[in-house]
Amino acid sequence: MRFSSYLPLISIAALSTMSAAQSNPTFLFTPGAWHLPGVFDSVRADLSRRGYDSAAVKLVSVDPTDPKTQGVAADAAAVRGELEKLVDQGKEVVMVCHSYGGVPTASAVEGMNLADRTARGEKGGVAMMVYLTSFAIPARTGLSDGLGGVTPDWWNITGDIVTPKDPIRIFYADVPPSIAATAVSNIKPMSLRSTSDKSTFAPWTQGFKMGYIFAEDDQAIALPVQQGMASQFPEGSFTASLKSSHSPFLSMPDQLAEVLVQAATAS
């Protein structure tokens, strides 16, 4: 007797979706400065429809309780905590870091390379690092170093806190106005310390599978700067380009989801 022939069609579809989610990698998103994990809700929903699970990190330096102490190290610990939850379940994880998020994420993945863990007989790990118009800076450097030591004129610094000026132009130039307005209302202050603390690890020098997604019309990180950082990655690393400003997860979440799936399935 074939058990499957007695299942309702809706159950068969549900089992198919469950099987796909179990076999596909899980995406873990790290937001950039001033942003909460909810900015990724639309692209995560699209990934879910495609059969991919995902999670997102809340950075400690965003809306900090103690900006004097909460910088890159605290953010890296937050990323590591979310990553370990997934890896402890045996998940293969694609890290997606946006903007400043690339700095703490690099530090957080040390020792988590899927290839290395598999060789040791361990389950789960980081299958790929995807930098989404994000800072890929060498170990022992910080965000300010990646900016050439020049403070952007759209930063507003007050004591130990930094906030962005003109976020519509800088972050959301191509985002639908109603969505952009909501995004602006959700911007939080950021610890100034996070801009100077140093990263401790550069995964592209340690055998991690790498990818970079360029935002062609980015007003926060110019395209040539993005390209320069991606040039550090090993030959054959995945790259893709979107005709977007700094926040493609808000302006074109479906296109971004498609590119992320392409990255995750790249040989």
Side-chain angles (χ1 to χ4, degrees), residues 204-217:
W204 54 91
T205 68
Q206 302 298 322
F208 282 72
K209 188 177 180 181
M210 304 300 302
Y212 203 105
I213 300 175
F214 304 106
E216 296 177 11
D217 297 328

Side-chain angles (χ1 to χ4, degrees), residues 30-33 59 79 96-106 131 134-135 190:
T30 306
L59 294 177
V79 177
V96 184
C97 41
H98 177 244
S99 197
Y100 158 79
V103 181
T105 300
Y131 283 70
S134 182
F135 284 96
M190 182 108 172

Side-chain angles (χ1 to χ4, degrees), residues 3 22 49 91 102 129 156 159 191 208:
F3 178 73
Q22 290 169 355
R49 288 190 290 271
K91 302 285 189 181
M129 299 282 295
N156 180 41
S191 71
F208 282 72

Side-chain angles (χ1 to χ4, degrees), residues 27 29 40 43-44 46-47 50 96 98 130 132 213 242 247-263:
F27 290 93
F29 290 86
F40 298 119
V43 68
R44 291 182 61 196
D46 196 294
L47 287 169
R50 297 169 189 260
V96 184
H98 177 244
V130 178
L132 172 61
I213 300 175
L242 294 172
S247 305
F249 39 84
L250 296 177
S251 61
M252 50 182 69
D254 52 343
Q255 292 173 253
L256 175 57
E258 182 176 352
V259 169
L260 288 173
V261 170
Q262 290 172 3

Side-chain angles (χ1 to χ4, degrees), residues 4 7-23 48-49 51 53:
S4 61
L7 289 173
L9 289 178
I10 188 170
S11 297
I12 295 174
L15 287 172
S16 177
T17 300
M18 288 173 59
S19 177
Q22 290 169 355
S23 61
S48 180
R49 288 190 290 271
D53 291 335

Side-chain angles (χ1 to χ4, degrees), residues 97-175:
C97 41
H98 177 244
S99 197
Y100 158 79
V103 181
T105 300
S107 298
V109 301
E110 186 172 2
M112 285 290 193
N113 190 350
L114 176 63
D116 296 338
R117 288 177 57 84
T118 300
R120 296 195 298 264
E122 300 170 340
K123 293 184 178 180
V126 174
M128 188 178 197
M129 299 282 295
V130 178
Y131 283 70
L132 172 61
T133 185
S134 182
F135 284 96
I137 59 176
R140 296 178 295 280
T141 62
L143 180 65
S144 58
D145 299 310
L147 294 170
V150 178
T151 301
D153 59 8
W154 50 270
W155 284 13
N156 180 41
I157 299 173
T158 305
D160 298 311
I161 290 291
V162 56
T163 54
K165 304 174 185 176
D166 198 6
I168 294 288
R169 177 179 65 86
I170 299 297
F171 301 145
Y172 316 126
D174 62 340
V175 175

